[in-house]
Amino acid sequence: MSPTDQADGLRRMFAGAQVRFVAVASNPHVAFAGVLLERLCAACTELGRRVLVVDAADTSPAPRELSVLELAGCIEPLSEHVSYLAARGLPLRHVDARGTTSAFLDAVASAAPEADVVIVHAGASELSRLFARRAPRPLLLAADHPASVTHAYASMKLLVQRNALMAFDLLLAAAAQSPRRDRIAAQLAGCADSFLHAVLHGWAAVDPACRPDDAPPRALVQLVRELLGAGDELPLPAAWTLSNAAAPRAAAH
């Protein structure tokens, strides 16, 4: 191996060690999910982070054919500090004998060594497989209508039951003048506590009518600061297995 190859390998190894994954549970009832993800990226870049969005939701674009051979060539730069990977169906190409797809996260980190933050946007079932060996604090998406809140709660319940994740955050698409905005967050927090014994750690709202050049809301920047600074993306206990994760908890309803 040439010195150049060795140096590149070291850069990738250490870059991968520093990457922070943010698990975002997709929600088909949120019409402005793209706006929420864009604002999430803006908050990350305001904190000086370089971001890769891995869009593995059911509604994401199909991946490029090149993804069969490599991921790096499929990553599209959106701005100086934000890149995008269409990844619908890609995690399952990395499934192991236990049914987990965490190897896909390693492949993404290797393909994008310059990224400090990897935002993984996927359905709760996909997140469950991807993060089976990690314990992030997932970010739920919801909007100002009941169906989206119900789906956000269902995503929370699935991740509690399968992965024993007990702390979540919420990113809510709602107009600044919406009288229901605070009530939605309180309702979701109450359901999490009463029925799942889980915690809604924090939340932020984004006005869907905002412009891309608007500064991200202060509450969102603070939420992201806490997400990136928290030391909670740790390996699950050694005794935790996928069979444990698949069994519903007695406390869940």
Side-chain angles (χ1 to χ4, degrees):
M1 180 181 291
S2 71
T4 301
D5 291 337
Q6 291 176 335
D8 181 64
L10 287 171
R11 281 194 297 272
R12 288 174 177 266
M13 180 177 68
F14 286 110
Q18 299 297 319
V19 70
R20 187 76 179 170
F21 291 97
V22 177
V24 180
S26 63
N27 190 329
H29 302 285
V30 177
F32 299 98
V35 175
L36 296 182
L37 291 175
E38 188 277 327
R39 294 287 82 193
L40 182 59
C41 290
C44 290
T45 58
E46 183 162 306
L47 295 172
R49 304 302 203 274
R50 295 163 295 182
V51 185
L52 170 64
V53 177
V54 176
D55 195 356
D58 292 340
T59 54
S60 76
R64 295 172 58 184
E65 293 182 3
L66 180 62
S67 64
V68 176
L69 302 176
E70 65 156 343
L71 293 178
C74 301
I75 296 174
E76 307 172 35
L78 301 181
S79 68
E80 183 180 358
H81 299 294
V82 180
S83 299
Y84 176 86
L85 175 64
R88 173 162 48 92
L90 290 187
L92 285 177
R93 296 182 186 176
H94 298 260
V95 68
D96 62 19
R98 293 182 178 273
T100 72
T101 55
S102 57
F104 176 67
L105 299 181
D106 298 329
V108 166
S110 178
E114 69 287 348
D116 304 305
V117 177
V118 176
I119 295 172
V120 183
H121 178 234
S125 293
E126 193 69 80
L127 292 180
S128 174
R129 290 186 290 265
L130 282 165
F131 291 91
R133 303 183 189 281
R134 292 177 168 90
R137 193 166 72 225
L139 182 61
L140 306 170
L141 302 183
D144 190 3
H145 61 82
S148 73
V149 181
T150 299
H151 192 276
Y153 175 77
S155 296
M156 181 191 295
K157 181 178 179 180
L158 185 147
L159 291 167
V160 167
Q161 291 179 337
R162 292 191 183 180
N163 296 61
L165 299 178
M166 303 303 293
F168 298 80
D169 290 305
L170 171 67
L171 187 52
L172 178 64
Q177 67 273 20
S178 169
R180 295 175 296 276
R181 191 172 66 163
D182 291 0
R183 193 161 66 243
I184 289 170
Q187 176 189 6
L188 193 57
C191 290
D193 181 38
S194 298
F195 301 120
L196 303 176
H197 302 300
V199 174
L200 186 65
H201 176 270
W203 70 280
V206 168
D207 190 336
C210 67
R211 298 178 303 178
D213 56 348
D214 288 343
R218 293 295 90 197
L220 177 56
V221 174
Q222 181 58 33
L223 186 151
V224 169
R225 189 191 306 276
E226 293 176 2
L227 266 178
L228 300 184
D232 61 356
E233 195 201 292
L234 303 171
L236 290 171
W240 187 260
T241 65
L242 199 62
S243 60
N244 295 133
R249 292 168 57 89
H253 298 283

